[in-house]
Amino acid sequence: MDARFLYPLESCKIIHLLRHGQALHNVEAEKDRNALLSLHLFDAPLTDHGHQQVENLRERVVSSGLLKRVELVVTSPLFRTMQTAVGVFGNEYKQSSMTSSPPILALEVARDRNGVRPPDMRRNVSEYQTLFPTIDFSQIESEEDNLWRPDVRESEEEILARGLEFMKWLWKRPEKEVAVVSHGIVLQHMLYVFANDCDLSIRHELCKRFANCEIRTVVIVDKGMASSTEN
């Protein structure tokens, strides 16, 4: 046994990071990257295969007991991520007798890389509220998408800054076990926030590209709180 760290439980949070299931723009981009500029792929939905991925993961989440443990689900406010969040953690289409589901909260800071590509532009909040009545949109300030720009693509530095902002927000939440449903590059940059605290081999494995509907679990620690507990 090679135990390297010991932290009190109250200084830790368990975070389950989940990339959305396969979406239409993922399929089209494999054929032609220029397809990502098509208006026909605006706010791309899940494919049939993506829905099957979500259903398969739902079964795993229920059978493992994870659904009972997660206290909050945070989702990107794009169609494909909310379909995934509700499909995996929600009860919108399930029997009322099924296990109760955690609240699902939509946050702009968890959305995909902004700008230029129509698949990454969101719809109006009022439309989403009709499509996803069990999702809480109270943290989204603007009805329309004011963040997506047609001529400027968000830089990786800006995504990293978003990842840091999100992790600071998450740490202030009272929940101890949280699921985050987002996008591959955004999830990677959330992990980059803590990458320097890991061995190189662990960092490479932890921060590699997410597959569609892949879930990756990490524990984050407030070392300041841990230190004060020890003293």
Side-chain angles (χ1 to χ4, degrees):
M1 179 179 179
D2 185 16
R4 302 188 181 190
F5 305 106
L6 185 65
Y7 295 112
L9 185 60
E10 59 267 25
S11 68
C12 304
K13 282 184 187 284
I14 300 172
I15 313 298
H16 306 280
L17 302 171
L18 170 59
R19 185 187 177 196
H20 60 80
Q22 184 195 67
L24 186 58
H25 72 299
N26 297 135
V27 175
E28 295 302 319
E30 288 182 3
K31 304 173 188 174
D32 179 8
R33 294 293 294 177
N34 289 327
L36 293 172
L37 301 176
S38 171
L39 290 173
H40 295 293
L41 293 175
F42 165 73
D43 195 19
L46 296 181
T47 62
D48 289 342
H49 180 59
H51 280 291
Q52 187 59 57
Q53 289 176 319
V54 168
E55 187 63 31
N56 292 344
L57 183 58
R58 166 78 181 199
E59 292 177 3
R60 286 170 45 203
V61 163
V62 171
S63 64
S64 68
L66 178 58
L67 185 61
K68 293 181 179 179
R69 299 197 308 271
V70 169
E71 301 167 74
L72 174 69
V73 178
V74 179
T75 182
S76 154
L78 294 182
F79 196 57
R80 55 191 177 272
T81 39
M82 292 191 291
Q83 285 181 301
T84 303
V86 169
V88 174
F89 296 103
N91 61 0
E92 205 159 328
Y93 309 112
K94 310 298 176 184
Q95 299 293 327
S96 57
S97 60
M98 291 285 286
T99 302
S100 61
S101 299
I104 304 177
L105 178 66
L107 281 186
E108 294 274 34
V109 74
R111 64 184 288 175
D112 208 349
R113 189 175 191 173
N114 271 312
V116 180
R117 296 176 177 175
D120 304 331
M121 187 178 184
R122 72 163 171 82
R123 309 176 194 206
N124 289 349
V125 171
S126 56
E127 184 177 352
Y128 282 144
Q129 287 172 323
T130 301
L131 293 167
F132 301 100
T134 60
I135 294 181
D136 180 357
F137 294 94
S138 62
Q139 298 298 307
I140 297 182
E141 298 178 358
S142 173
E143 162 73 5
E144 299 179 350
D145 188 352
N146 295 329
L147 299 176
W148 187 90
R149 295 169 290 178
D151 55 346
V152 180
R153 188 79 169 149
E154 189 177 19
S155 69
E156 292 205 16
E157 289 78 13
E158 289 172 316
I159 300 173
L160 184 61
R162 260 207 288 146
L164 180 58
E165 177 189 352
F166 174 73
M167 285 301 182
K168 286 181 177 178
W169 174 89
L170 189 60
W171 190 257
K172 294 177 183 177
R173 295 285 307 189
E175 298 86 3
K176 288 295 187 180
E177 191 156 356
V178 179
V180 180
V181 186
S182 188
H183 310 265
I185 191 170
V186 177
L187 293 171
Q188 281 182 294
H189 281 74
M190 288 178 184
L191 290 171
Y192 288 157
V193 172
F194 302 103
N196 289 335
D197 285 339
C198 302
D199 289 344
L200 189 60
S201 59
I202 297 174
R203 185 188 317 167
H204 175 75
E205 185 67 20
L206 193 63
C207 298
K208 67 182 181 181
R209 182 172 174 80
F210 278 73
N212 285 121
C213 225
E214 178 186 355
I215 191 166
R216 209 173 289 175
T217 301
V218 297
V219 177
I220 59 175
V221 179
D222 184 338
K223 293 183 177 178
M225 182 184 292
S227 299
S228 63
T229 305
E230 292 169 359
N231 292 335

